[in-house]
PDB file of all heavy atoms in Angstrom:
ATOM      1  N   ASP A  11     -17.062 -44.623  -4.671  1.00  0.00           N
ATOM      2  CA  ASP A  11     -16.421 -44.801  -5.973  1.00  0.00           C
ATOM      3  C   ASP A  11     -14.931 -45.086  -5.792  1.00  0.00           C
ATOM      4  O   ASP A  11     -14.286 -44.538  -4.888  1.00  0.00           O
ATOM      5  CB  ASP A  11     -16.581 -43.543  -6.824  1.00  0.00           C
ATOM      6  CG  ASP A  11     -17.987 -43.375  -7.346  1.00  0.00           C
ATOM      7  OD1 ASP A  11     -18.735 -44.374  -7.336  1.00  0.00           O
ATOM      8  OD2 ASP A  11     -18.344 -42.248  -7.760  1.00  0.00           O
ATOM      9  N   PHE A  12     -14.403 -45.924  -6.662  1.00  0.00           N
ATOM     10  CA  PHE A  12     -12.979 -46.243  -6.581  1.00  0.00           C
ATOM     11  C   PHE A  12     -12.413 -46.472  -7.978  1.00  0.00           C
ATOM     12  O   PHE A  12     -13.139 -46.660  -8.951  1.00  0.00           O
ATOM     13  CB  PHE A  12     -12.750 -47.486  -5.710  1.00  0.00           C
ATOM     14  CG  PHE A  12     -13.294 -48.753  -6.315  1.00  0.00           C
ATOM     15  CD1 PHE A  12     -12.500 -49.554  -7.128  1.00  0.00           C
ATOM     16  CD2 PHE A  12     -14.601 -49.139  -6.068  1.00  0.00           C
ATOM     17  CE1 PHE A  12     -13.013 -50.710  -7.695  1.00  0.00           C
ATOM     18  CE2 PHE A  12     -15.124 -50.294  -6.631  1.00  0.00           C
ATOM     19  CZ  PHE A  12     -14.327 -51.086  -7.441  1.00  0.00           C
ATOM     20  N   GLU A  13     -11.102 -46.452  -8.037  1.00  0.00           N
ATOM     21  CA  GLU A  13     -10.395 -46.735  -9.277  1.00  0.00           C
ATOM     22  C   GLU A  13      -9.113 -47.484  -8.911  1.00  0.00           C
ATOM     23  O   GLU A  13      -8.496 -47.201  -7.890  1.00  0.00           O
ATOM     24  CB  GLU A  13     -10.058 -45.427  -9.990  1.00  0.00           C
ATOM     25  CG  GLU A  13      -9.561 -45.586 -11.414  1.00  0.00           C
ATOM     26  CD  GLU A  13      -9.440 -44.252 -12.148  1.00  0.00           C
ATOM     27  OE1 GLU A  13     -10.262 -43.349 -11.871  1.00  0.00           O
ATOM     28  OE2 GLU A  13      -8.524 -44.129 -12.968  1.00  0.00           O
ATOM     29  N   VAL A  14      -8.720 -48.427  -9.743  1.00  0.00           N
ATOM     30  CA  VAL A  14      -7.499 -49.197  -9.514  1.00  0.00           C
ATOM     31  C   VAL A  14      -6.427 -48.757 -10.503  1.00  0.00           C
ATOM     32  O   VAL A  14      -6.671 -48.716 -11.705  1.00  0.00           O
ATOM     33  CB  VAL A  14      -7.750 -50.713  -9.653  1.00  0.00           C
ATOM     34  CG1 VAL A  14      -6.448 -51.492  -9.461  1.00  0.00           C
ATOM     35  CG2 VAL A  14      -8.805 -51.169  -8.655  1.00  0.00           C
ATOM     36  N   ILE A  15      -5.263 -48.406  -9.980  1.00  0.00           N
ATOM     37  CA  ILE A  15      -4.122 -48.066 -10.830  1.00  0.00           C
ATOM     38  C   ILE A  15      -3.075 -49.154 -10.617  1.00  0.00           C
ATOM     39  O   ILE A  15      -2.423 -49.196  -9.568  1.00  0.00           O
ATOM     40  CB  ILE A  15      -3.529 -46.669 -10.509  1.00  0.00           C
ATOM     41  CG1 ILE A  15      -4.525 -45.571 -10.848  1.00  0.00           C
ATOM     42  CG2 ILE A  15      -2.262 -46.437 -11.293  1.00  0.00           C
ATOM     43  CD1 ILE A  15      -5.525 -45.275  -9.794  1.00  0.00           C
ATOM     44  N   PRO A  16      -2.924 -50.059 -11.574  1.00  0.00           N
ATOM     45  CA  PRO A  16      -1.975 -51.166 -11.399  1.00  0.00           C
ATOM     46  C   PRO A  16      -0.546 -50.662 -11.201  1.00  0.00           C
ATOM     47  O   PRO A  16      -0.190 -49.561 -11.636  1.00  0.00           O
ATOM     48  CB  PRO A  16      -2.095 -51.945 -12.719  1.00  0.00           C
ATOM     49  CG  PRO A  16      -3.395 -51.509 -13.313  1.00  0.00           C
ATOM     50  CD  PRO A  16      -3.601 -50.095 -12.874  1.00  0.00           C
ATOM     51  N   GLY A  17       0.254 -51.472 -10.541  1.00  0.00           N
ATOM     52  CA  GLY A  17       1.661 -51.155 -10.358  1.00  0.00           C
ATOM     53  C   GLY A  17       2.534 -52.280 -10.872  1.00  0.00           C
ATOM     54  O   GLY A  17       2.068 -53.397 -11.100  1.00  0.00           O
ATOM     55  N   ILE A  18       3.810 -52.005 -11.060  1.00  0.00           N
ATOM     56  CA  ILE A  18       4.744 -53.044 -11.503  1.00  0.00           C
ATOM     57  C   ILE A  18       5.018 -53.966 -10.321  1.00  0.00           C
ATOM     58  O   ILE A  18       5.567 -53.541  -9.310  1.00  0.00           O
ATOM     59  CB  ILE A  18       6.054 -52.421 -12.007  1.00  0.00           C
ATOM     60  CG1 ILE A  18       5.779 -51.468 -13.170  1.00  0.00           C
ATOM     61  CG2 ILE A  18       7.045 -53.493 -12.412  1.00  0.00           C
ATOM     62  CD1 ILE A  18       7.000 -50.723 -13.648  1.00  0.00           C
ATOM     63  N   THR A  19       4.618 -55.208 -10.438  1.00  0.00           N
ATOM     64  CA  THR A  19       4.772 -56.135  -9.326  1.00  0.00           C
ATOM     65  C   THR A  19       6.239 -56.485  -9.083  1.00  0.00           C
ATOM     66  O   THR A  19       7.011 -56.673 -10.036  1.00  0.00           O
ATOM     67  CB  THR A  19       3.962 -57.420  -9.546  1.00  0.00           C
ATOM     68  OG1 THR A  19       4.308 -58.357  -8.525  1.00  0.00           O
ATOM     69  CG2 THR A  19       4.239 -58.044 -10.897  1.00  0.00           C
ATOM     70  N   SER A  20       6.596 -56.614  -7.837  1.00  0.00           N
ATOM     71  CA  SER A  20       7.976 -56.969  -7.484  1.00  0.00           C
ATOM     72  C   SER A  20       8.330 -58.379  -7.939  1.00  0.00           C
ATOM     73  O   SER A  20       9.504 -58.713  -8.068  1.00  0.00           O
ATOM     74  CB  SER A  20       8.176 -56.849  -5.970  1.00  0.00           C
ATOM     75  OG  SER A  20       7.310 -57.727  -5.289  1.00  0.00           O
ATOM     76  N   SER A  21       7.327 -59.198  -8.208  1.00  0.00           N
ATOM     77  CA  SER A  21       7.595 -60.592  -8.580  1.00  0.00           C
ATOM     78  C   SER A  21       8.343 -60.701  -9.905  1.00  0.00           C
ATOM     79  O   SER A  21       9.032 -61.697 -10.147  1.00  0.00           O
ATOM     80  CB  SER A  21       6.291 -61.384  -8.663  1.00  0.00           C
ATOM     81  OG  SER A  21       5.429 -60.837  -9.639  1.00  0.00           O
ATOM     82  N   ILE A  22       8.224 -59.704 -10.778  1.00  0.00           N
ATOM     83  CA  ILE A  22       8.984 -59.729 -12.035  1.00  0.00           C
ATOM     84  C   ILE A  22      10.042 -58.617 -12.079  1.00  0.00           C
ATOM     85  O   ILE A  22      11.108 -58.796 -12.658  1.00  0.00           O
ATOM     86  CB  ILE A  22       8.059 -59.623 -13.260  1.00  0.00           C
ATOM     87  CG1 ILE A  22       7.216 -58.343 -13.210  1.00  0.00           C
ATOM     88  CG2 ILE A  22       7.172 -60.852 -13.377  1.00  0.00           C
ATOM     89  CD1 ILE A  22       6.396 -58.097 -14.471  1.00  0.00           C
ATOM     90  N   SER A  23       9.747 -57.471 -11.438  1.00  0.00           N
ATOM     91  CA  SER A  23      10.665 -56.330 -11.551  1.00  0.00           C
ATOM     92  C   SER A  23      11.905 -56.484 -10.681  1.00  0.00           C
ATOM     93  O   SER A  23      13.020 -56.140 -11.104  1.00  0.00           O
ATOM     94  CB  SER A  23       9.944 -55.033 -11.184  1.00  0.00           C
ATOM     95  OG  SER A  23       9.381 -55.109  -9.897  1.00  0.00           O
ATOM     96  N   VAL A  24      11.738 -56.998  -9.475  1.00  0.00           N
ATOM     97  CA  VAL A  24      12.901 -57.158  -8.586  1.00  0.00           C
ATOM     98  C   VAL A  24      13.887 -58.188  -9.152  1.00  0.00           C
ATOM     99  O   VAL A  24      15.100 -57.929  -9.183  1.00  0.00           O
ATOM    100  CB  VAL A  24      12.447 -57.495  -7.152  1.00  0.00           C
ATOM    101  CG1 VAL A  24      13.628 -57.954  -6.310  1.00  0.00           C
ATOM    102  CG2 VAL A  24      11.792 -56.264  -6.521  1.00  0.00           C
ATOM    103  N   PRO A  25      13.426 -59.356  -9.630  1.00  0.00           N
ATOM    104  CA  PRO A  25      14.377 -60.244 -10.304  1.00  0.00           C
ATOM    105  C   PRO A  25      15.060 -59.575 -11.496  1.00  0.00           C
ATOM    106  O   PRO A  25      16.265 -59.776 -11.713  1.00  0.00           O
ATOM    107  CB  PRO A  25      13.503 -61.419 -10.754  1.00  0.00           C
ATOM    108  CG  PRO A  25      12.355 -61.421  -9.814  1.00  0.00           C
ATOM    109  CD  PRO A  25      12.107 -59.978  -9.484  1.00  0.00           C
ATOM    110  N   ALA A  26      14.310 -58.772 -12.247  1.00  0.00           N
ATOM    111  CA  ALA A  26      14.905 -58.073 -13.395  1.00  0.00           C
ATOM    112  C   ALA A  26      16.027 -57.145 -12.956  1.00  0.00           C
ATOM    113  O   ALA A  26      17.073 -57.055 -13.610  1.00  0.00           O
ATOM    114  CB  ALA A  26      13.832 -57.291 -14.151  1.00  0.00           C
ATOM    115  N   TYR A  27      15.837 -56.443 -11.826  1.00  0.00           N
ATOM    116  CA  TYR A  27      16.880 -55.558 -11.307  1.00  0.00           C
ATOM    117  C   TYR A  27      18.085 -56.351 -10.802  1.00  0.00           C
ATOM    118  O   TYR A  27      19.174 -55.800 -10.647  1.00  0.00           O
ATOM    119  CB  TYR A  27      16.320 -54.671 -10.197  1.00  0.00           C
ATOM    120  CG  TYR A  27      15.858 -53.322 -10.687  1.00  0.00           C
ATOM    121  CD1 TYR A  27      14.820 -53.210 -11.604  1.00  0.00           C
ATOM    122  CD2 TYR A  27      16.458 -52.153 -10.244  1.00  0.00           C
ATOM    123  CE1 TYR A  27      14.392 -51.990 -12.064  1.00  0.00           C
ATOM    124  CE2 TYR A  27      16.046 -50.910 -10.701  1.00  0.00           C
ATOM    125  CZ  TYR A  27      15.005 -50.830 -11.607  1.00  0.00           C
ATOM    126  OH  TYR A  27      14.590 -49.607 -12.071  1.00  0.00           O
ATOM    127  N   ALA A  28      17.881 -57.620 -10.535  1.00  0.00           N
ATOM    128  CA  ALA A  28      18.985 -58.479 -10.095  1.00  0.00           C
ATOM    129  C   ALA A  28      19.607 -59.238 -11.272  1.00  0.00           C
ATOM    130  O   ALA A  28      20.487 -60.065 -11.077  1.00  0.00           O
ATOM    131  CB  ALA A  28      18.498 -59.465  -9.045  1.00  0.00           C
ATOM    132  N   GLY A  29      19.127 -58.954 -12.478  1.00  0.00           N
ATOM    133  CA  GLY A  29      19.651 -59.640 -13.651  1.00  0.00           C
ATOM    134  C   GLY A  29      19.118 -61.048 -13.824  1.00  0.00           C
ATOM    135  O   GLY A  29      19.765 -61.907 -14.422  1.00  0.00           O
ATOM    136  N   ILE A  30      17.899 -61.275 -13.309  1.00  0.00           N
ATOM    137  CA  ILE A  30      17.288 -62.616 -13.396  1.00  0.00           C
ATOM    138  C   ILE A  30      15.951 -62.509 -14.133  1.00  0.00           C
ATOM    139  O   ILE A  30      14.991 -61.949 -13.596  1.00  0.00           O
ATOM    140  CB  ILE A  30      17.064 -63.217 -11.994  1.00  0.00           C
ATOM    141  CG1 ILE A  30      18.391 -63.330 -11.238  1.00  0.00           C
ATOM    142  CG2 ILE A  30      16.386 -64.589 -12.107  1.00  0.00           C
ATOM    143  CD1 ILE A  30      18.216 -63.706  -9.773  1.00  0.00           C
ATOM    144  N   PRO A  31      15.849 -63.036 -15.346  1.00  0.00           N
ATOM    145  CA  PRO A  31      14.555 -63.048 -16.046  1.00  0.00           C
ATOM    146  C   PRO A  31      13.703 -64.188 -15.485  1.00  0.00           C
ATOM    147  O   PRO A  31      14.214 -65.287 -15.245  1.00  0.00           O
ATOM    148  CB  PRO A  31      14.945 -63.317 -17.502  1.00  0.00           C
ATOM    149  CG  PRO A  31      16.218 -64.101 -17.401  1.00  0.00           C
ATOM    150  CD  PRO A  31      16.926 -63.631 -16.155  1.00  0.00           C
ATOM    151  N   VAL A  32      12.435 -63.961 -15.265  1.00  0.00           N
ATOM    152  CA  VAL A  32      11.611 -65.040 -14.688  1.00  0.00           C
ATOM    153  C   VAL A  32      11.297 -66.119 -15.716  1.00  0.00           C
ATOM    154  O   VAL A  32      10.969 -67.260 -15.342  1.00  0.00           O
ATOM    155  CB  VAL A  32      10.313 -64.485 -14.044  1.00  0.00           C
ATOM    156  CG1 VAL A  32      10.645 -63.677 -12.799  1.00  0.00           C
ATOM    157  CG2 VAL A  32       9.504 -63.671 -15.026  1.00  0.00           C
ATOM    158  N   THR A  33      11.389 -65.773 -17.004  1.00  0.00           N
ATOM    159  CA  THR A  33      11.284 -66.802 -18.047  1.00  0.00           C
ATOM    160  C   THR A  33      12.451 -66.624 -19.013  1.00  0.00           C
ATOM    161  O   THR A  33      12.956 -65.518 -19.203  1.00  0.00           O
ATOM    162  CB  THR A  33       9.958 -66.701 -18.838  1.00  0.00           C
ATOM    163  OG1 THR A  33       9.924 -65.460 -19.564  1.00  0.00           O
ATOM    164  CG2 THR A  33       8.756 -66.796 -17.925  1.00  0.00           C
ATOM    165  N   HIS A  34      12.868 -67.742 -19.631  1.00  0.00           N
ATOM    166  CA  HIS A  34      13.941 -67.690 -20.621  1.00  0.00           C
ATOM    167  C   HIS A  34      13.874 -68.961 -21.456  1.00  0.00           C
ATOM    168  O   HIS A  34      13.709 -70.066 -20.898  1.00  0.00           O
ATOM    169  CB  HIS A  34      15.308 -67.566 -19.940  1.00  0.00           C
ATOM    170  CG  HIS A  34      16.442 -67.324 -20.896  1.00  0.00           C
ATOM    171  ND1 HIS A  34      16.671 -66.105 -21.478  1.00  0.00           N
ATOM    172  CD2 HIS A  34      17.402 -68.170 -21.378  1.00  0.00           C
ATOM    173  CE1 HIS A  34      17.742 -66.180 -22.253  1.00  0.00           C
ATOM    174  NE2 HIS A  34      18.188 -67.424 -22.229  1.00  0.00           N
ATOM    175  N   ARG A  35      14.005 -68.788 -22.766  1.00  0.00           N
ATOM    176  CA  ARG A  35      13.891 -69.940 -23.665  1.00  0.00           C
ATOM    177  C   ARG A  35      14.885 -71.037 -23.268  1.00  0.00           C
ATOM    178  O   ARG A  35      16.061 -70.783 -23.064  1.00  0.00           O
ATOM    179  CB  ARG A  35      14.148 -69.510 -25.108  1.00  0.00           C
ATOM    180  CG  ARG A  35      14.071 -70.668 -26.101  1.00  0.00           C
ATOM    181  CD  ARG A  35      14.377 -70.253 -27.504  1.00  0.00           C
ATOM    182  NE  ARG A  35      13.300 -69.473 -28.083  1.00  0.00           N
ATOM    183  CZ  ARG A  35      13.249 -69.105 -29.366  1.00  0.00           C
ATOM    184  NH1 ARG A  35      14.227 -69.439 -30.178  1.00  0.00           N
ATOM    185  NH2 ARG A  35      12.240 -68.396 -29.816  1.00  0.00           N
ATOM    186  N   GLY A  36      14.365 -72.221 -23.168  1.00  0.00           N
ATOM    187  CA  GLY A  36      15.197 -73.377 -22.847  1.00  0.00           C
ATOM    188  C   GLY A  36      15.383 -73.608 -21.359  1.00  0.00           C
ATOM    189  O   GLY A  36      15.854 -74.676 -20.958  1.00  0.00           O
ATOM    190  N   LEU A  37      15.031 -72.634 -20.533  1.00  0.00           N
ATOM    191  CA  LEU A  37      15.206 -72.769 -19.082  1.00  0.00           C
ATOM    192  C   LEU A  37      13.886 -72.727 -18.323  1.00  0.00           C
ATOM    193  O   LEU A  37      13.671 -73.517 -17.407  1.00  0.00           O
ATOM    194  CB  LEU A  37      16.135 -71.670 -18.548  1.00  0.00           C
ATOM    195  CG  LEU A  37      17.608 -71.762 -18.918  1.00  0.00           C
ATOM    196  CD1 LEU A  37      18.373 -70.596 -18.283  1.00  0.00           C
ATOM    197  CD2 LEU A  37      18.211 -73.079 -18.446  1.00  0.00           C
ATOM    198  N   ALA A  38      13.034 -71.764 -18.679  1.00  0.00           N
ATOM    199  CA  ALA A  38      11.757 -71.623 -17.953  1.00  0.00           C
ATOM    200  C   ALA A  38      10.704 -71.060 -18.897  1.00  0.00           C
ATOM    201  O   ALA A  38      10.844 -69.924 -19.375  1.00  0.00           O
ATOM    202  CB  ALA A  38      11.928 -70.718 -16.744  1.00  0.00           C
ATOM    203  N   ARG A  39       9.667 -71.854 -19.143  1.00  0.00           N
ATOM    204  CA  ARG A  39       8.578 -71.420 -20.028  1.00  0.00           C
ATOM    205  C   ARG A  39       7.411 -70.853 -19.232  1.00  0.00           C
ATOM    206  O   ARG A  39       6.395 -70.458 -19.795  1.00  0.00           O
ATOM    207  CB  ARG A  39       8.114 -72.588 -20.888  1.00  0.00           C
ATOM    208  CG  ARG A  39       9.202 -73.130 -21.796  1.00  0.00           C
ATOM    209  CD  ARG A  39       8.741 -74.354 -22.569  1.00  0.00           C
ATOM    210  NE  ARG A  39       7.604 -74.063 -23.433  1.00  0.00           N
ATOM    211  CZ  ARG A  39       6.921 -74.982 -24.101  1.00  0.00           C
ATOM    212  NH1 ARG A  39       7.242 -76.256 -23.975  1.00  0.00           N
ATOM    213  NH2 ARG A  39       5.909 -74.641 -24.866  1.00  0.00           N
ATOM    214  N   SER A  40       7.541 -70.826 -17.912  1.00  0.00           N
ATOM    215  CA  SER A  40       6.475 -70.283 -17.059  1.00  0.00           C
ATOM    216  C   SER A  40       7.097 -69.786 -15.761  1.00  0.00           C
ATOM    217  O   SER A  40       8.229 -70.144 -15.422  1.00  0.00           O
ATOM    218  CB  SER A  40       5.420 -71.362 -16.755  1.00  0.00           C
ATOM    219  OG  SER A  40       6.011 -72.430 -16.027  1.00  0.00           O
ATOM    220  N   PHE A  41       6.346 -68.962 -15.051  1.00  0.00           N
ATOM    221  CA  PHE A  41       6.762 -68.602 -13.701  1.00  0.00           C
ATOM    222  C   PHE A  41       5.528 -68.600 -12.802  1.00  0.00           C
ATOM    223  O   PHE A  41       4.406 -68.366 -13.246  1.00  0.00           O
ATOM    224  CB  PHE A  41       7.505 -67.253 -13.657  1.00  0.00           C
ATOM    225  CG  PHE A  41       6.671 -66.049 -13.971  1.00  0.00           C
ATOM    226  CD1 PHE A  41       6.098 -65.291 -12.954  1.00  0.00           C
ATOM    227  CD2 PHE A  41       6.457 -65.648 -15.282  1.00  0.00           C
ATOM    228  CE1 PHE A  41       5.344 -64.177 -13.229  1.00  0.00           C
ATOM    229  CE2 PHE A  41       5.700 -64.525 -15.576  1.00  0.00           C
ATOM    230  CZ  PHE A  41       5.141 -63.786 -14.548  1.00  0.00           C
ATOM    231  N   HIS A  42       5.750 -68.869 -11.522  1.00  0.00           N
ATOM    232  CA  HIS A  42       4.663 -69.063 -10.576  1.00  0.00           C
ATOM    233  C   HIS A  42       4.964 -68.238  -9.332  1.00  0.00           C
ATOM    234  O   HIS A  42       6.057 -68.325  -8.765  1.00  0.00           O
ATOM    235  CB  HIS A  42       4.547 -70.550 -10.220  1.00  0.00           C
ATOM    236  CG  HIS A  42       4.574 -71.441 -11.431  1.00  0.00           C
ATOM    237  ND1 HIS A  42       3.442 -71.830 -12.093  1.00  0.00           N
ATOM    238  CD2 HIS A  42       5.619 -71.980 -12.126  1.00  0.00           C
ATOM    239  CE1 HIS A  42       3.766 -72.585 -13.133  1.00  0.00           C
ATOM    240  NE2 HIS A  42       5.093 -72.683 -13.176  1.00  0.00           N
ATOM    241  N   VAL A  43       3.988 -67.444  -8.926  1.00  0.00           N
ATOM    242  CA  VAL A  43       4.193 -66.514  -7.813  1.00  0.00           C
ATOM    243  C   VAL A  43       3.379 -66.979  -6.609  1.00  0.00           C
ATOM    244  O   VAL A  43       2.178 -67.242  -6.722  1.00  0.00           O
ATOM    245  CB  VAL A  43       3.770 -65.081  -8.213  1.00  0.00           C
ATOM    246  CG1 VAL A  43       4.070 -64.109  -7.071  1.00  0.00           C
ATOM    247  CG2 VAL A  43       4.488 -64.644  -9.486  1.00  0.00           C
ATOM    248  N   PHE A  44       4.054 -67.048  -5.458  1.00  0.00           N
ATOM    249  CA  PHE A  44       3.412 -67.506  -4.229  1.00  0.00           C
ATOM    250  C   PHE A  44       3.691 -66.516  -3.107  1.00  0.00           C
ATOM    251  O   PHE A  44       4.734 -65.857  -3.084  1.00  0.00           O
ATOM    252  CB  PHE A  44       3.969 -68.876  -3.797  1.00  0.00           C
ATOM    253  CG  PHE A  44       3.890 -69.934  -4.850  1.00  0.00           C
ATOM    254  CD1 PHE A  44       4.955 -70.141  -5.717  1.00  0.00           C
ATOM    255  CD2 PHE A  44       2.761 -70.732  -4.984  1.00  0.00           C
ATOM    256  CE1 PHE A  44       4.895 -71.125  -6.692  1.00  0.00           C
ATOM    257  CE2 PHE A  44       2.702 -71.720  -5.961  1.00  0.00           C
ATOM    258  CZ  PHE A  44       3.765 -71.908  -6.822  1.00  0.00           C
ATOM    259  N   THR A  45       2.787 -66.434  -2.173  1.00  0.00           N
ATOM    260  CA  THR A  45       3.090 -65.714  -0.938  1.00  0.00           C
ATOM    261  C   THR A  45       3.959 -66.611  -0.066  1.00  0.00           C
ATOM    262  O   THR A  45       3.775 -67.830  -0.031  1.00  0.00           O
ATOM    263  CB  THR A  45       1.811 -65.314  -0.172  1.00  0.00           C
ATOM    264  OG1 THR A  45       2.199 -64.740   1.082  1.00  0.00           O
ATOM    265  CG2 THR A  45       0.913 -66.506   0.105  1.00  0.00           C
ATOM    266  N   GLY A  46       4.886 -66.000   0.627  1.00  0.00           N
ATOM    267  CA  GLY A  46       5.744 -66.756   1.520  1.00  0.00           C
ATOM    268  C   GLY A  46       5.151 -66.938   2.896  1.00  0.00           C
ATOM    269  O   GLY A  46       5.767 -67.523   3.781  1.00  0.00           O
ATOM    270  N   HIS A  47       3.937 -66.413   3.106  1.00  0.00           N
ATOM    271  CA  HIS A  47       3.285 -66.504   4.413  1.00  0.00           C
ATOM    272  C   HIS A  47       2.297 -67.663   4.450  1.00  0.00           C
ATOM    273  O   HIS A  47       1.708 -68.030   3.426  1.00  0.00           O
ATOM    274  CB  HIS A  47       2.492 -65.222   4.712  1.00  0.00           C
ATOM    275  CG  HIS A  47       3.362 -64.057   5.010  1.00  0.00           C
ATOM    276  ND1 HIS A  47       4.461 -64.126   5.822  1.00  0.00           N
ATOM    277  CD2 HIS A  47       3.280 -62.768   4.601  1.00  0.00           C
ATOM    278  CE1 HIS A  47       5.028 -62.931   5.910  1.00  0.00           C
ATOM    279  NE2 HIS A  47       4.329 -62.087   5.171  1.00  0.00           N
ATOM    280  N   THR A  48       2.106 -68.187   5.615  1.00  0.00           N
ATOM    281  CA  THR A  48       0.998 -69.124   5.816  1.00  0.00           C
ATOM    282  C   THR A  48      -0.294 -68.325   5.870  1.00  0.00           C
ATOM    283  O   THR A  48      -0.282 -67.127   6.136  1.00  0.00           O
ATOM    284  CB  THR A  48       1.163 -69.899   7.135  1.00  0.00           C
ATOM    285  OG1 THR A  48       1.289 -68.952   8.199  1.00  0.00           O
ATOM    286  CG2 THR A  48       2.389 -70.788   7.089  1.00  0.00           C
ATOM    287  N   MET A  49      -1.422 -68.987   5.634  1.00  0.00           N
ATOM    288  CA  MET A  49      -2.710 -68.312   5.728  1.00  0.00           C
ATOM    289  C   MET A  49      -3.084 -68.124   7.189  1.00  0.00           C
ATOM    290  O   MET A  49      -2.483 -68.720   8.085  1.00  0.00           O
ATOM    291  CB  MET A  49      -3.785 -69.122   4.997  1.00  0.00           C
ATOM    292  CG  MET A  49      -3.557 -69.206   3.490  1.00  0.00           C
ATOM    293  SD  MET A  49      -4.820 -70.186   2.665  1.00  0.00           S
ATOM    294  CE  MET A  49      -6.261 -69.162   2.912  1.00  0.00           C
ATOM    295  N   GLU A  50      -4.078 -67.288   7.442  1.00  0.00           N
ATOM    296  CA  GLU A  50      -4.490 -66.989   8.818  1.00  0.00           C
ATOM    297  C   GLU A  50      -4.959 -68.236   9.563  1.00  0.00           C
ATOM    298  O   GLU A  50      -4.825 -68.333  10.781  1.00  0.00           O
ATOM    299  CB  GLU A  50      -5.603 -65.931   8.803  1.00  0.00           C
ATOM    300  CG  GLU A  50      -5.087 -64.556   8.396  1.00  0.00           C
ATOM    301  CD  GLU A  50      -6.230 -63.583   8.112  1.00  0.00           C
ATOM    302  OE1 GLU A  50      -7.294 -63.737   8.730  1.00  0.00           O
ATOM    303  OE2 GLU A  50      -6.059 -62.688   7.284  1.00  0.00           O
ATOM    304  N   ASN A  51      -5.474 -69.196   8.817  1.00  0.00           N
ATOM    305  CA  ASN A  51      -5.938 -70.435   9.479  1.00  0.00           C
ATOM    306  C   ASN A  51      -4.820 -71.478   9.588  1.00  0.00           C
ATOM    307  O   ASN A  51      -5.057 -72.612   9.971  1.00  0.00           O
ATOM    308  CB  ASN A  51      -7.137 -71.020   8.725  1.00  0.00           C
ATOM    309  CG  ASN A  51      -6.792 -71.358   7.267  1.00  0.00           C
ATOM    310  OD1 ASN A  51      -5.628 -71.327   6.886  1.00  0.00           O
ATOM    311  ND2 ASN A  51      -7.807 -71.675   6.491  1.00  0.00           N
ATOM    312  N   GLY A  52      -3.593 -71.048   9.242  1.00  0.00           N
ATOM    313  CA  GLY A  52      -2.445 -71.943   9.395  1.00  0.00           C
ATOM    314  C   GLY A  52      -2.198 -72.853   8.205  1.00  0.00           C
ATOM    315  O   GLY A  52      -1.224 -73.617   8.191  1.00  0.00           O
TER     316      GLY A  52
END
């Protein structure tokens, strides 16, 4: 048996702590999150 407890992802919270909103009217209507690593198969 398992249960998932979601956490606040760094992809939105860390920019917020730096004073950077990931979306803002007139500048960004979307945000896209990527891993910075290559996959295991390269």
Side-chain angles (χ1 to χ4, degrees):
D11 287 342
F12 67 91
E13 191 171 327
V14 178
I15 294 84
I18 301 175
T19 172
S20 61
S21 61
I22 58 173
S23 56
V24 168
Y27 265 63
I30 301 171
V32 291
T33 65
H34 188 76
R35 179 182 287 188
L37 290 181
R39 298 176 61 188
S40 63
F41 68 96
H42 313 269
V43 183
F44 306 92
T45 174
H47 288 316
T48 56
M49 294 179 67
E50 289 169 30
N51 60 10

